[in-house]
């Protein structure tokens, strides 16, 4: 393992280089989503009836309790595991759902989004993964959309060439902070010593949809509480591209059949 100290503007990080541990499954070819269940006996759930992601639609009115977010600033490391960029958390941040505390374990990203809302895909989705004392999982999903043209865009006129030059819509500051220390190679992991304010990558309004699903990566374990934020967070096109350029391929599992499940709102 190599270690180095790197000063990157806002964050001081320690770099560690590990062997790639996640290369036995992927998003295309023989190890792609269609074959996940067949790749290993451990992945039997991948062919289950309550799988994620889904197209959230046909909502059922329910009195969903607001999620109580208790997020502390800070993450202890950021890793490129070959499938996504992931921030790992030490104990201390949590949400309260169903009168139970679910501790935040990690936050990671998918581009394009895995879940769809009313048939709509988004360019980026974050998954905030939590577990309660019994090991039950709860995932908060947040959609990110590109800045809308002419809202936060700077339009300039080049008098010589009569061209309109547009700058990008405003970037999200916290996402910028995370992307600035994003390990670019599979297996790379940095220790983080500075604070990351996760609340800034959640929408202000945390009204959500809820359904029963699974992990979207092998072993696709079911019994996961999915809490999908109704409001998307606006980020710049550059930030969307910045993530995709590091991963080199789309890391979204295709939509799964909803079967006999309901989506509550
Ligand atoms: Zn995910």
């Amino acid at each position: 393992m190599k270690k180095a100290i790197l000063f990157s503007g806002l964050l001081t990080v320690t770099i560690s280089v590990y062997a790639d541990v996640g290369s036995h499954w992927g998003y295309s070819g023989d190890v792609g989503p269609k074959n996940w269940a067949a790749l290993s006996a451990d992945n039997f759930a991948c062919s289950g009836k309550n799988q994620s992601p889904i197209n959230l639609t046909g909502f059922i009115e329910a009195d969903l309790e607001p999620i109580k977010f208790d997020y502390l600033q800070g993450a202890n490391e950021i890793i490129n595991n070959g499938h996504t960029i992931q921030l790992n958390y030490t104990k201390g941040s949590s949400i309260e759902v169903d009168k139970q505390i679910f501790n935040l374990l990690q936050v990671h990203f998918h581009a394009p989004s895995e879940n769809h809302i009313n048939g709509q895909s988004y360019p980026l989705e974050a998954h905030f993964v939590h577990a309660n004392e019994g090991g039950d999982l709860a995932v908060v999903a947040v959609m990110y959309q590109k800045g809308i043209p002419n809202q936060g865009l700077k339009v300039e006129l080049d008098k010589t060439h009569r061209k309109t030059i547009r700058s990008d819509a405003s970037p999200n500051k916290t996402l910028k902070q995370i992307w600035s220390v994003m390990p670019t190679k599979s297996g790379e992991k940095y220790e983080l010593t500075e604070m990351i304010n996760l609340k800034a990558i959640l929408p202000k309004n945390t009204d959500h949809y809820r359904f029963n699903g699974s992990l979207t990566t092998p072993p696709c374990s079911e019994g996961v509480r999915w809490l999908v934020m109704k409001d998307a967070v606006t980020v710049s096109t550059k930030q969307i591209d910045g993530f995709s350029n590091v991963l080199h391929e789309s890391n979204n599992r295709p939509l799964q059949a909803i079967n006999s499940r309901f989506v509550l709102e």
Side-chain angles (χ1 to χ4, degrees):
M1 190 205 311
K2 283 184 215 161
K3 275 202 165 186
I5 302 291
L6 188 135
F7 297 95
S8 171
L10 293 162
L11 304 177
T12 306
V13 298
T14 307
I15 306 174
S16 309
V17 183
Y18 289 86
D20 184 10
V21 288
S23 55
H24 54 289
W25 61 270
Y27 286 99
S28 57
D30 291 345
V31 294
K34 276 185 188 156
N35 294 328
W36 285 354
L39 288 175
S40 157
D42 295 337
N43 298 351
F44 70 94
C46 297
S47 58
K49 295 270 185 256
N50 298 304
Q51 289 288 291
S52 293
I54 60 165
N55 174 31
L56 283 79
T57 191
F59 308 108
I60 306 286
E61 285 279 347
D63 251 340
L64 293 180
E65 289 265 316
I67 303 166
K68 281 184 207 151
F69 286 90
D70 186 10
Y71 283 173
L72 303 176
Q73 294 211 4
N76 66 321
E77 62 184 18
I78 184 166
I79 181 168
N80 177 335
N81 64 14
H83 305 301
T84 189
I85 301 295
Q86 183 171 309
L87 295 161
N88 288 330
Y89 279 76
T90 42
K91 219 173 168 183
S93 290
S94 63
I95 54 170
E96 191 184 318
V97 178
D98 300 335
K99 308 213 166 14
Q100 296 174 48
I101 299 296
F102 289 78
N103 289 304
L104 179 66
L105 306 177
Q106 46 107 335
V107 180
H108 65 265
F109 299 87
H110 298 270
S113 72
E114 296 205 295
N115 292 295
H116 292 191
I117 300 176
N118 265 327
Q120 194 188 342
S121 157
Y122 290 79
L124 184 70
E125 178 177 352
H127 291 159
F128 298 64
V129 183
H130 311 77
N132 68 7
E133 288 224 312
D136 294 333
L137 298 176
V139 179
V140 170
V142 177
M143 302 295 175
Y144 299 90
Q145 63 190 3
K146 290 178 184 176
I148 301 159
N150 298 324
Q151 285 188 12
L153 279 180
K154 205 167 95 189
V155 180
E156 291 165 11
L157 198 65
D158 179 325
K159 281 177 188 151
T160 319
H161 302 96
R162 309 293 298 172
K163 265 187 204 161
T164 304
I165 302 159
R166 288 181 172 190
S167 60
D168 211 351
S170 307
N172 176 290
K173 276 185 192 161
T174 296
L175 211 56
K176 192 174 172 184
Q177 191 187 5
I178 299 170
W179 273 202
S180 74
V181 287
M182 186 156 55
T184 54
K185 287 189 192 123
S186 175
E188 265 181 4
K189 159 160 125 168
Y190 302 157
E191 250 170 62
L192 301 175
T193 55
E194 294 286 328
M195 302 286 117
I196 288 173
N197 179 17
L198 274 190
K199 280 179 190 156
I201 55 168
L202 287 171
K204 283 192 183 82
N205 175 355
T206 55
D207 284 353
H208 60 282
Y209 303 110
R210 179 172 175 160
F211 71 96
N212 183 23
S214 72
L215 297 179
T216 66
T217 55
C220 312
S221 317
E222 294 189 339
V224 179
R225 289 164 167 88
W226 276 88
L227 308 156
V228 179
M229 294 290 127
K230 289 184 178 181
D231 284 0
V233 175
T234 302
V235 300
S236 71
T237 305
K238 238 186 190 173
Q239 293 188 305
I240 306 280
D241 296 345
F243 179 79
S244 304
N245 291 344
V246 163
L247 278 207
H248 306 299
E249 66 168 355
S250 299
N251 67 338
N252 63 313
R253 185 188 194 192
L255 292 171
Q256 304 294 302
I258 196 160
N259 296 318
S260 55
R261 290 174 286 173
F262 294 113
V263 182
L264 307 179
E265 74 166 326

